């Protein structure tokens, strides 16, 4: 089964709920026998649940599909940011990769171009991507699973951070507010992000330019002098000037 068709079926069921086999076949441009085989494989993997004449997304996989869908937003910009971040990695260092779809692009590059690193993360997809890489040490923080971001948060994850120090932190953000502070939609995520920033002298913020000027509920920290920010070249002139005034080390991926 081609992975692109499998993903299309999963996202279709996630978006539209229960569908019949003819409806799925028409939507993905495949024959009904082919769709039946696809659904059998997807059900075996726990992604969908089949019913008589159709299928629906499995309860446990909805958060995974949502994460995959968010990964596709501004994908070209996220990949460019990942490339710029990869260039800043130092072999034989200890790095923390935060949860988030932009940081995941960096993890994908590490898998493709392995470096000798000690990688720490609270993100399940990051750990899964890096698990097969020889010569790479991967540590996944324990804690409470935040399904929306496939991340580990809460007291156990926070306690683990207290005993660690990282040469670099690569942090994704939910928003950079009008006050030039990082924000998150979740209180637990905001707290663990704040602790991550306390455990490194070299934080690198990875975010596409659409996040600047957005608003979310929970404040993490304000951007400050010495922080590195990698975003895409669509960042407005106003934000470029503001970040440089703050003293942020700004890098624009995919352009000047």
């Amino acid at each position: 089964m081609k992975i692109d068709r499998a993903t299309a079926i999963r996202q279709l069921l996630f978006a539209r709920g229960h569908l019949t086999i003819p409806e799925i076949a028409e939507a993905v441009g495949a024959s009904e026998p082919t769709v039946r085989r696809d659904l059998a494989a997807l059900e075996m993997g726990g992604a969908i649940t089949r019913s008589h004449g159709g299928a629906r997304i499995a309860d446990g996989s909805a958060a995974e599909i949502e994460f995959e869908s968010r990964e596709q937003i501004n994908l070209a910009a996220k990949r460019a940011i990942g490339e710029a971040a990869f260039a800043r990695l130092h072999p034989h260092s200890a790095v923390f990769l935060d949860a988030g779809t932009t940081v995941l692009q960096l993890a994908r590059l590490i898998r493709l171009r392995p470096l000798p690193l000690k990688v720490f993360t609270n993100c399940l997809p990051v750990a899964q991507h890096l698990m097969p890489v020889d010569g790479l040490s991967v540590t996944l923080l324990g804690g409470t699973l935040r399904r929306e971001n496939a991340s580990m948060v809460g007291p156990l994850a926070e306690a683990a951070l207290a005993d660690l120090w990282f040469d670099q932190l690569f942090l994704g953000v939910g928003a950079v507010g009008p006050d030039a502070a990082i924000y998150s939609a979740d209180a637990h995520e905001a707290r663990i992000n704040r602790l991550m920033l306390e455990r490194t002298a070299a934080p690198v913020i990875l975010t596409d330019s659409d996040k600047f000027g957005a608003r979310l509920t929970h404040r993490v920290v304000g951007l400050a002098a010495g922080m590195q920010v990698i975003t895409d070249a669509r960042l407005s002139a106003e934000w470029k000037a503001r970040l440089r005034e703050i003293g942020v080390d700004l890098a624009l991926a995919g352009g000047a």
Side-chain angles (χ1 to χ4, degrees):
M1 180 173 51
K2 293 180 181 179
I3 187 64
D4 56 346
R5 192 174 64 241
T7 300
I9 291 172
R10 293 166 70 219
Q11 294 188 347
L12 180 69
L13 293 174
F14 175 73
R16 295 174 56 183
H18 182 274
L19 291 173
T20 66
I21 288 173
E23 289 171 332
I24 298 169
E26 181 179 1
V28 300
S31 68
E32 292 184 22
T34 296
V35 166
R36 288 191 180 92
R37 290 193 295 270
D38 290 350
L39 293 176
L42 286 167
E43 185 176 47
M44 186 174 296
I48 63 105
T49 300
R50 286 191 294 173
S51 59
H52 182 69
R56 62 176 178 80
I57 199 73
D59 292 339
S61 68
E64 179 185 354
I65 302 297
E66 184 177 359
F67 188 91
E68 291 176 356
S69 298
R70 285 192 292 108
E71 187 183 359
Q72 300 303 311
I73 299 172
N74 293 331
L75 183 57
K78 290 175 181 178
R79 286 175 172 167
I81 293 165
E83 286 279 2
F86 184 84
R88 299 193 179 205
L89 287 170
H90 304 292
H92 306 290
S93 62
V95 301
F96 195 98
L97 303 186
D98 170 49
T101 57
T102 305
V103 178
L104 183 58
Q105 299 306 315
L106 173 58
R108 292 185 187 280
L109 290 172
I110 295 171
R111 178 169 176 167
L112 290 171
R113 311 169 199 163
L115 292 173
L117 296 169
K118 291 182 180 179
V119 176
F120 296 79
T121 186
N122 69 324
C123 181
L124 292 177
V126 166
Q128 289 168 340
H129 272 79
L130 298 180
M131 181 173 59
V133 181
D134 291 334
L136 196 70
S137 169
V138 181
T139 300
L140 176 65
L141 268 59
T144 301
L145 177 62
R146 181 175 179 250
R147 291 182 175 86
E148 295 84 353
N149 222 28
S151 62
M152 309 304 289
V153 297
L156 289 176
E158 294 166 11
L161 282 172
D163 292 327
L164 297 169
W165 181 260
F166 311 109
D167 297 307
Q168 290 176 296
L169 162 68
F170 293 91
L171 179 71
V173 303
V176 178
D179 58 349
I182 298 168
Y183 283 83
S184 171
D186 181 80
H188 297 292
E189 183 176 69
R191 177 174 172 80
I192 199 168
N193 286 170
R194 198 154 46 240
L195 291 173
M196 291 172 190
L197 288 161
E198 294 174 359
R199 305 310 300 164
T200 184
V204 186
I205 311 303
L206 307 183
T207 179
D208 61 83
S209 60
D210 287 351
K211 302 288 182 64
F212 286 86
R215 295 179 182 273
L216 289 173
T217 306
H218 302 279
R219 189 179 189 273
V220 181
V221 296
L223 293 175
M227 286 185 175
Q228 301 176 62
V229 172
I230 304 177
T231 187
D232 60 83
R234 297 174 300 131
L235 186 68
S236 70
E238 179 184 355
W239 271 108
K240 290 176 189 176
R242 189 169 182 188
L243 294 176
R244 286 169 177 149
E245 182 180 353
I246 291 170
V248 164
D249 176 6
L250 176 64
L252 300 178

